Coordinates of all heavy atoms in Angstrom, one line a residue:
Chain A
T929 N 19.3 47.8 -54.7 CA 20.4 46.9 -54.9 C 21.5 47.2 -53.9 O 22.4 46.3 -53.7 CB 21.0 47.0 -56.3 OG1 21.1 48.3 -56.7 CG2 20.1 46.3 -57.3
D930 N 21.5 48.4 -53.4 CA 22.6 48.8 -52.5 C 22.1 48.6 -51.0 O 21.1 49.3 -50.7 CB 23.0 50.3 -52.8 CG 24.0 50.8 -51.8 OD1 24.4 50.0 -50.9 OD2 24.4 51.9 -52.0
P931 N 22.7 47.8 -50.2 CA 22.2 47.6 -48.9 C 22.2 48.8 -48.0 O 21.4 48.9 -47.1 CB 23.2 46.6 -48.3 CG 24.4 46.5 -49.2 CD 23.9 47.0 -50.5
T932 N 22.9 49.9 -48.3 CA 22.8 51.1 -47.5 C 21.6 51.8 -47.9 O 21.1 52.7 -47.1 CB 24.0 52.0 -47.7 OG1 24.1 52.3 -49.1 CG2 25.3 51.4 -47.2
N933 N 21.0 51.5 -49.0 CA 19.8 52.3 -49.5 C 18.5 51.6 -49.3 O 17.5 52.2 -49.5 CB 19.9 52.5 -51.0 CG 20.8 53.7 -51.3 OD1 21.2 54.4 -50.4 ND2 21.1 53.9 -52.6
V934 N 18.5 50.3 -48.9 CA 17.3 49.5 -48.9 C 16.4 50.0 -47.8 O 16.8 50.6 -46.8 CB 17.5 48.0 -48.7 CG1 18.3 47.5 -49.8 CG2 18.1 47.8 -47.3
G935 N 15.1 49.8 -47.9 CA 14.1 50.1 -46.9 C 13.1 49.0 -46.9 O 12.9 48.2 -47.8
I936 N 12.3 49.1 -45.8 CA 11.3 48.0 -45.5 C 9.9 48.5 -45.9 O 9.0 47.7 -45.9 CB 11.4 47.5 -44.1 CG1 10.8 46.2 -43.9 CG2 10.8 48.5 -43.1 CD1 11.6 45.1 -44.5
W937 N 9.8 49.8 -46.1 CA 8.4 50.3 -46.2 C 7.7 49.7 -47.4 O 6.4 49.5 -47.3 CB 8.5 51.9 -46.4 CG 7.2 52.5 -46.6 CD1 6.8 53.3 -47.6 CD2 6.0 52.4 -45.7 NE1 5.5 53.7 -47.4 CE2 5.0 53.2 -46.3 CE3 5.8 51.7 -44.5 CZ2 3.8 53.3 -45.7 CZ3 4.5 51.9 -43.9 CH2 3.5 52.6 -44.5
G938 N 8.4 49.5 -48.5 CA 7.7 48.9 -49.7 C 7.0 47.6 -49.3 O 5.9 47.3 -49.6
A939 N 7.8 46.7 -48.6 CA 7.3 45.4 -48.3 C 6.3 45.4 -47.2 O 5.3 44.7 -47.2 CB 8.5 44.5 -47.8
L940 N 6.4 46.4 -46.3 CA 5.5 46.5 -45.2 C 4.1 47.0 -45.7 O 3.1 46.4 -45.4 CB 6.0 47.6 -44.2 CG 5.3 47.7 -42.9 CD1 5.4 46.4 -42.1 CD2 5.8 48.9 -42.0
K941 N 4.2 47.9 -46.7 CA 3.0 48.4 -47.3 C 2.3 47.3 -48.1 O 1.1 47.1 -48.1 CB 3.3 49.6 -48.2 CG 2.2 50.6 -48.2 CD 2.7 51.9 -49.0 CE 1.5 52.7 -49.4 NZ 1.9 53.8 -50.3
G942 N 3.2 46.5 -48.8 CA 2.6 45.4 -49.6 C 2.0 44.4 -48.6 O 0.9 43.9 -48.9

Side-chain angles (χ1 to χ4, degrees):
Chain A
T929 46
D930 177 0
T932 57
N933 278 352
V934 299
I936 199 70
W937 178 237
L940 191 64
K941 214 170 161 189

